[in-house]
């Protein structure tokens, strides 16, 4: 047998076959990976974003509302409460914590960390994953939640790789970090790091401390599980893991880590919802305002702006500092006033509480009518229930959380009983406006938007009582050139039937049914004397007064009858403040405004305010009317703004008039108002650069104090003005005027009544005595 000789070639390359196999596998893998990546890039493994989507990722952006002093008042959003920030707005500590924890080699790879990927494959993920920040961003923007199907999950991973590389080609590393922190959902409507910093710490991102940034970065692993509100213990542990990673990467020392690990979570939970926070009633009104604006101002392509998704920036006239002080003043007084109202409406004192002048049958009718207007009734009706079934539901006890001045109460009662319970609470509103610009500086539509959502600033219209009288006096001054020093008899006076549209003779009585004095116009307005108002109305007629207030922006229905002199018309606080601003602005009405500018998400101006003005009365007539109203706070129903000492002897001043004494010494023009049965209490007060109106009353006219001492405007409404203005003056940065009102260059109408008496030939002492007799 002949043995086959080994060739030189076989002897020289004994591993040629193995090399061939290796290179075949290598190039096959490369070609396979290239094919798979190409297939993913071309969309064969599922939809992929095009170039435009990559360069402009579509995310829902919340519309932000800014105050005049630069604070964020709130946001409007649908699902995503997201407000993007740039890399430069991030604190360095959150960037360091993010890279140390999520992607140590972030700055050295181009989207895929192959070293981390091989480690994850070899150890089956037990020593950490391999998703880079770029991959996680790709998943958040384009891929979505990881599928539980193995094949789909693999395809998703491949798509993430492709997209991560494409993102790295189009964005800088800084932009990728900012985009990732902007896109992440931290829970509790905290979409993005800006919202998270605000909601969990009540801070701007730039102000986050290292331990706070570490907590937020720790939440990136799974914000539902690592929840600082529900699971603080495990969140602390996760935060400490982040700190350990920072030590490992040389970003902090072990000593720093050990110190920070001892710190508890310092959560300052500040939810951003439409029912909580500052200016809730204003934001609810603004939402409707913006919806109307978007309908009338389409985008260049004809589509409509979406205030919940388009990231608009709304710049308002509201001053956050004044708004906070206004809300505090309303709450302080209403909490105090409510104690007395509860005291006077105990069942053994008032069996029909909180109602007066109603029988039980009438009360049942009123409560059912309120139920039919409620959201609960609407929802039941939409679900297909008939009225009988809904009414039965309203009489069925159920668990609920109700408002109290001591905090929310968990209780069980029928929805119908809850309606009666809520009617026990008096309501209130306050609005402040700068008369020269029409800028609304504070808007307080109530004291708890969650439980009382009806806005009493603009939605609510109530009888305005004697706060309407300055418009009558202004008409008489403008038409007849009357002086505050002119006097009229304070005797019962009747306007004849059918003289001014009245079917019957109109004979108003004074409060307390007291008469018999000759009064100057200044004294008559200061003391709200109805007989003098009747005489003036008979002189000028109701139509000129209505024409005047129409020029001052009032749109509510006002019947052309003499009784409007006493404020019988239902008018909103918004209209009243705007109209009063005319007097402080030298006879020129400036329409109240709440928005100065609207920008799109890129900063392009879409709207800029142009004030709307109307010349209403002469500068002199406006100044004389102010002079009349200054008498209200000097010696009339508003004089409690200036004096002191009555809290020692008078129960109302001691217990009810919140903040008394105020002891204001600066010029103040104002007017109190009280409607029939004390159903409404008003106070309108002005200084040269601020007009503020306050209303207080029950939800229904049958809910009121029994005695006028408690229910008059000077007790129910004026204290809110006093507390508010005093707090404004405590902050000189707000620049609220304490100066006198600007006088015209020429005043032809006499204002110095003592001088008039002296010119009439009376001696000084006699003149003063005579003025006293005339009601000065």
């Amino acid at each position: 047998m002949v043995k086959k000789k080994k060739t030189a070639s076989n002897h020289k390359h004994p591993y040629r076959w193995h090399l061939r196999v290796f290179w075949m596998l290598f190039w096959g893998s490369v070609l396979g990976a290239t094919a798979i990546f190409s297939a993913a890039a071309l969309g064969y493994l599922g939809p992929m974003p095009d170039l435009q989507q990559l360069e402009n990722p579509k995310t829902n952006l919340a519309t932000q509302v800014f105050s005049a002093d630069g604070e964020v008042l709130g946001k409007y959003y649908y699902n995503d409460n997201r407000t993007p920030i740039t890399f430069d707005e991030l604190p360095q500590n959150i960037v360091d914590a993010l890279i140390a924890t999520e992607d140590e080699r972030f700055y050295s790879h181009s989207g895929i960390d192959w070293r981390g990927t091989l480690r994850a494959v070899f150890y089956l993920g037990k020593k950490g994953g391999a998703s880079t920040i770029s991959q996680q961003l790709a998943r958040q923007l384009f891929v979505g939640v990881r599928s539980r199907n193995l094949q789909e999950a693999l395809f998703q991973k491949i798509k993430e790789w492709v997209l991560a590389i494409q993102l790295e080609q189009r964005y800088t590393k800084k932009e990728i970090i900012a985009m990732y922190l902007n896109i992440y959902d931290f829970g509790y409507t905290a979409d993005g790091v800006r919202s998270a910093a605000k909601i969990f710490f009540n801070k701007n991102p730039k102000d986050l401390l290292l331990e706070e940034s570490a907590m937020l970065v720790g939440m990136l692993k799974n914000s539902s599980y690592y929840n600082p509100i529900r699971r603080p213990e495990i969140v602390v542990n996760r935060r400490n893991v982040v700190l350990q990673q920072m030590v490992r990467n040389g970003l902090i020392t072990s000593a720093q880590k050990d110190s920070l690990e001892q710190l508890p979570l310092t959560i300052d939970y500040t939810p951003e919802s439409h029912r909580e926070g500052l200016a809730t009633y204003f934001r609810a009104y603004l939402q409707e305002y913006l919806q109307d604006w978007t309908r009338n101002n389409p985008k260049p392509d004809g589509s409509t702006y979406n205030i919940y998704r388009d990231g608009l920036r709304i710049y308002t006239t509201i001053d956050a500092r004044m708004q906070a002080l206004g809300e505090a003043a309303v709450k302080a007084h209403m909490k105090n006033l409510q104690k007395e109202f509860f005291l006077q409406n105990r069942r053994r004192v008032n069996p029909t509480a909180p109602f007066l002048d109603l029988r039980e049958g009438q009360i049942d009718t009123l409560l059912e009518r309120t139920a039919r207007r409620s959201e609960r009734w609407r929802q039941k009706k939409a679900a297909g229930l008939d009225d009988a079934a809904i009414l039965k539901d309203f009489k069925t006890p159920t668990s609920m959380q109700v408002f109290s001045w001591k905090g929310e109460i968990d209780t069980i009662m029928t929805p119908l009983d809850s309606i009666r319970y809520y009617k026990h609470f008096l309501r209130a509103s306050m609005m402040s406006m700068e008369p020269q610009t029409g800028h609304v500086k504070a808007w307080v539509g109530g004291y708890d938007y969650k439980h009382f959502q009806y806005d009493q600033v603009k939605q609510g219209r109530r009888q305005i009582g004697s706060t309407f009288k300055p418009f009558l006096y202004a008409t008489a001054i403008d038409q007849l050139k009357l002086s505050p020093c002119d006097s009229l008899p304070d005797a019962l006076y009747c306007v004849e039937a059918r003289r001014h549209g009245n079917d019957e003779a109109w004979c108003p009585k004074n409060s307390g049914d007291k008469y018999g004095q000759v009064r100057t116009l200044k004294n008559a307005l200061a003391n709200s004397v109805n007989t003098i108002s009747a005489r003036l109305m008979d002189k000028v007629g109701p139509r000129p007064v209505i024409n005047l207030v129409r020029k001052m922006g009032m749109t509510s229905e006002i019947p052309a009858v003499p009784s409007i002199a006493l404020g019988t018309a239902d008018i909103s606080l918004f209209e009243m403040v705007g109209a009063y601003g005319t007097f402080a602005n030298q006879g020129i009405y400036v329409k109240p405004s709440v928005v100065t500018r609207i920008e799109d998400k890129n900063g392009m101006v879409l709207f800029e305010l142009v004030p709307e003005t109307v010349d209403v009365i002469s500068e002199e007539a406006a100044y004389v009317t102010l002079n009349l109203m200054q008498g209200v706070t000097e010696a009339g129903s508003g004089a409690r703004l200036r004096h002191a000492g009555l809290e020692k002897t008078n129960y109302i001043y001691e217990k009810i008039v919140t903040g008394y004494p105020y002891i204001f010494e600066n010029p103040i023009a104002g007017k109190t108002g009280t409607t029939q049965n004390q159903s409404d209490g008003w106070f309108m007060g002005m200084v040269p650069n601020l007009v503020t109106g306050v209303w207080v009353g029950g939800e229904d006219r049958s809910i009121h104090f029994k005695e006028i001492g408690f229910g008059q405007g000077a007790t129910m409404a004026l204290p809110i003005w006093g507390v508010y203005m005093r707090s404004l003056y405590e902050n000189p940065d707000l620049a609220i005027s304490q100066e006198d009102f600007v006088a015209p260059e020429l005043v032809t109408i006499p204002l110095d009544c003592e001088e008039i008496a002296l010119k009439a030939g009376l001696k000084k002492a006699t003149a003063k005595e005579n003025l006293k007799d005339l009601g000065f």
Side-chain angles (χ1 to χ4, degrees):
M1 183 176 178
V2 180
K3 292 184 179 179
K4 191 175 179 181
K5 292 183 179 180
K6 293 182 180 179
T7 63
S9 176
N10 288 338
H11 182 73
K12 208 169 189 180
H13 301 287
Y15 302 109
R16 174 174 290 182
W17 184 83
H18 297 85
L19 288 171
R20 283 180 180 176
V21 171
F22 170 78
W23 286 112
M24 287 173 64
L25 290 173
F26 174 77
W27 288 112
S29 299
V30 171
L31 291 172
T34 303
I36 291 172
F37 271 69
S38 299
L42 294 171
Y44 291 113
L45 300 185
M48 292 286 280
D50 57 26
L51 180 62
Q52 185 176 359
Q53 288 175 298
L54 280 170
E55 294 182 348
N56 297 283
K58 188 175 181 180
T59 56
N60 294 330
L61 301 179
T63 287
Q64 293 186 93
V65 179
F66 295 93
S67 68
D69 53 324
E71 297 294 323
V72 176
L73 289 176
K75 301 178 184 179
Y76 301 116
Y77 53 90
Y78 183 61
N79 284 325
D80 299 340
N81 176 20
R82 180 174 293 107
T83 305
I85 60 176
T86 64
F87 182 87
D88 292 336
E89 295 175 271
L90 293 169
Q92 187 60 43
N93 58 37
I94 202 168
V95 175
D96 292 342
L98 173 65
I99 293 173
T101 307
E102 296 294 325
D103 193 352
E104 292 176 320
R105 288 174 287 280
F106 176 70
Y107 288 112
S108 61
H109 64 65
S110 299
I112 302 174
D113 181 5
W114 293 111
R115 179 177 163 187
T117 301
L118 292 173
R119 182 198 64 214
V121 170
F122 186 80
Y123 290 104
L124 301 177
K126 292 180 181 179
K127 292 195 175 183
S131 289
T132 63
I133 292 173
S134 304
Q135 287 175 244
Q136 293 179 51
L137 175 61
R139 180 164 65 244
Q140 293 277 344
L141 286 173
F142 305 113
V143 179
V145 179
R146 179 76 72 234
S147 173
R148 294 185 178 182
N149 181 284
L150 184 60
Q151 180 178 327
E152 290 181 1
L154 180 60
F155 286 172
Q156 284 180 325
K157 193 66 178 179
I158 294 169
K159 288 165 67 176
E160 285 175 20
W161 285 340
V162 174
L163 290 168
I165 294 171
Q166 292 178 339
L167 288 171
E168 292 267 356
Q169 291 172 344
R170 286 169 174 79
Y171 297 99
T172 66
K173 292 288 187 179
K174 289 183 178 180
E175 288 172 331
I176 288 172
I177 287 176
M179 289 170 69
Y180 178 62
L181 290 174
N182 282 327
I183 200 71
Y184 192 81
D185 180 1
F186 289 88
Y188 294 94
T189 71
D191 297 295
V193 68
R194 172 175 279 174
S195 294
K198 177 66 176 175
I199 289 172
F200 293 120
F201 301 111
N202 197 20
K203 291 183 176 183
N204 290 317
K206 203 74 175 177
D207 300 323
L208 290 172
L209 302 174
L210 174 55
E211 62 271 21
E212 295 167 341
S213 291
M215 189 203 87
L216 293 180
V217 169
M219 292 175 68
L220 296 173
K221 186 173 184 179
N222 184 336
S223 60
S224 296
Y225 182 72
Y226 294 104
N227 183 321
I229 306 299
R230 297 175 58 190
R231 301 187 182 97
E233 298 83 5
I234 65 170
V235 172
V236 168
N237 293 336
R238 178 62 186 165
R239 179 200 66 183
N240 294 344
V241 169
V242 174
L243 295 173
Q244 178 60 47
Q245 286 296 108
M246 295 183 75
V247 172
R248 173 181 165 180
N249 286 270
L251 297 168
I252 60 174
T253 65
S254 294
Q256 286 177 295
K257 176 189 76 74
D258 293 341
S259 177
L260 293 171
E261 283 182 341
Q262 303 306 312
L263 298 176
L265 292 183
T266 54
I267 302 298
D268 182 5
Y269 183 53
T270 313
E272 290 189 331
S273 78
H274 303 311
R275 295 187 175 192
E276 297 168 302
L278 195 64
T280 47
Y281 291 89
F282 169 73
R283 286 186 277 132
Y285 164 72
L286 182 62
Q287 191 171 9
E288 294 180 9
Y289 172 97
L290 292 173
Q291 295 284 23
D292 183 63
W293 181 86
T294 57
R295 282 191 292 269
N296 297 309
N297 296 271
K299 295 179 182 179
D301 63 4
S303 61
T304 303
Y305 286 103
N306 189 315
I307 67 170
Y308 306 109
R309 293 187 172 96
D310 285 344
L312 301 178
R313 298 168 67 87
I314 315 300
Y315 295 90
T316 73
T317 61
I318 298 294
D319 186 296
R321 298 163 297 180
M322 296 173 70
Q323 179 70 29
L325 293 173
E327 292 183 10
V330 169
K331 288 179 180 178
H333 179 59
M334 292 310 296
K335 184 177 181 179
N336 194 30
L337 187 67
Q338 192 67 48
K339 288 180 185 177
E340 183 63 30
F341 190 73
F342 278 147
L343 192 65
Q344 295 186 21
N345 280 275
R346 291 169 294 174
R347 279 303 179 106
R348 61 185 177 84
V349 177
N350 177 18
T352 60
F355 308 100
L356 290 172
D357 315 316
L358 290 183
R359 299 184 302 274
E360 281 298 340
Q362 294 173 310
I363 293 172
D364 292 340
T365 301
L366 186 152
L367 293 176
E368 184 174 330
R369 188 165 61 242
T370 304
R372 289 175 180 273
R373 296 196 303 265
S374 69
E375 179 64 15
R376 185 185 185 92
W377 190 286
R378 188 194 67 78
Q379 290 177 356
K380 298 293 182 182
K381 198 73 174 177
L385 274 68
D386 59 24
D387 287 359
I390 299 175
L391 199 55
K392 182 180 179 181
D393 172 78
F394 268 77
K395 294 179 180 180
T396 303
T398 184
S399 298
M400 63 179 69
Q401 197 174 60
V402 296
F403 171 84
S404 85
W405 279 109
K406 294 180 179 179
E408 291 182 326
I409 299 173
D410 292 316
T411 187
I412 297 176
M413 66 172 72
T414 70
L416 209 56
D417 285 340
S418 74
I419 291 174
R420 187 164 187 161
Y421 170 79
Y422 276 116
K423 285 186 181 291
H424 280 78
F425 290 91
L426 297 173
R427 312 299 166 84
S429 58
M430 190 208 82
M431 175 177 149
S432 262
M433 185 192 78
E434 189 176 69
Q436 290 76 24
T437 62
H439 289 184
V440 176
K441 311 307 290 183
W443 178 306
V444 187
Y447 45 75
D448 190 290
Y449 186 77
K450 181 178 179 181
H451 294 281
F452 305 95
Q453 294 185 17
Y454 191 76
D455 172 40
Q456 298 288 356
V457 168
K458 205 165 194 295
Q459 279 183 295
R461 285 178 166 82
R462 298 293 291 252
Q463 284 191 347
I464 56 174
S466 294
T467 54
F468 192 81
K469 288 177 181 176
F471 304 120
L472 168 62
Y473 278 68
T475 304
I477 291 167
D478 201 39
Q479 287 188 0
L480 308 176
K481 303 300 179 185
L482 295 180
S483 162
C485 306
D486 289 334
S487 58
L488 293 169
D490 177 12
L492 194 64
Y493 185 87
C494 292
V495 177
E496 297 176 2
R498 292 178 294 280
R499 176 169 166 77
H500 293 297
N502 47 312
D503 293 331
E504 299 177 353
W506 181 60
C507 310
K509 296 181 179 181
N510 287 338
S511 176
D513 210 16
K514 296 179 180 178
Y515 313 92
Q517 186 180 8
V518 176
R519 294 180 182 269
T520 64
L521 294 187
K522 191 165 189 176
N523 177 276
L525 184 64
N527 292 283
S528 231
V529 180
N530 291 338
T531 58
I532 305 298
S533 296
R535 292 175 186 276
L536 291 177
M537 178 57 77
D538 202 18
K539 289 177 183 290
V540 301
R543 181 55 63 186
V545 181
I546 294 173
N547 292 340
L548 177 82
V549 297
R550 290 286 181 237
K551 292 178 183 178
M552 293 178 170
M554 287 193 189
T555 58
S556 296
E557 182 180 352
I558 304 175
V561 293
S563 60
I564 64 171
L566 306 187
T568 54
D570 292 336
I571 297 172
S572 71
L573 178 62
F574 183 87
E575 294 171 280
M576 289 294 290
V577 172
Y580 264 68
T582 307
F583 300 126
N585 193 38
Q586 300 168 295
I588 301 171
Y589 167 75
V590 183
K591 184 178 180 180
S593 55
V594 296
V595 175
T596 57
R597 191 170 77 256
I598 300 175
E599 296 177 355
D600 67 11
K601 63 182 180 181
N602 299 314
M604 181 180 293
V605 177
L606 306 176
F607 165 82
E608 201 144 25
L609 175 67
V610 177
E612 298 180 37
T613 63
V614 179
D615 288 340
V616 181
I617 54 177
S618 68
E619 186 178 351
E620 182 182 35
Y623 184 72
V624 172
T625 306
L626 285 173
N627 181 273
L628 281 168
M629 285 192 281
Q630 283 180 267
V632 174
T633 66
E634 290 166 357
S637 56
R640 61 184 66 184
L641 289 171
R642 301 194 182 281
H643 59 57
L646 291 181
E647 75 279 7
K648 298 176 182 178
T649 58
N650 187 299
Y651 175 81
I652 290 178
Y653 283 88
E654 179 189 0
K655 299 291 186 181
I656 314 302
V657 183
T658 310
Y660 180 87
Y662 312 104
I663 319 179
F664 290 112
E665 296 179 353
N666 57 295
I668 298 170
K671 187 70 191 79
T672 57
T674 308
T675 61
Q676 191 172 10
N677 296 327
Q678 300 80 245
S679 295
D680 305 274
W682 291 80
F683 183 72
M684 305 295 299
M686 293 178 284
V687 295
N689 65 348
L690 194 68
V691 180
T692 302
V694 181
W695 167 86
V696 175
E699 182 179 344
D700 303 290
R701 292 189 57 78
S702 55
I703 302 170
H704 57 82
F705 281 103
K706 193 171 184 178
E707 298 176 12
I708 195 168
F710 295 96
Q712 64 179 311
T715 302
M716 291 214 296
L718 179 144
I720 292 175
W721 194 94
V723 172
Y724 172 64
M725 289 299 295
R726 185 168 59 193
S727 63
L728 293 185
Y729 285 130
E730 288 172 357
N731 184 350
D733 292 339
L734 295 174
I736 305 302
S737 175
Q738 298 192 57
E739 305 301 317
D740 206 342
F741 293 93
V742 178
E745 291 183 5
L746 177 64
V747 179
T748 61
I749 297 174
L751 299 177
D752 190 333
C753 302
E754 185 176 336
E755 184 180 343
I756 293 174
L758 289 171
K759 285 182 177 179
L762 298 172
K763 293 181 180 179
K764 191 169 184 179
T766 308
K768 285 186 177 181
E769 186 176 338
N770 191 47
L771 288 172
K772 186 177 180 181
D773 292 338
L774 289 174
F776 282 94

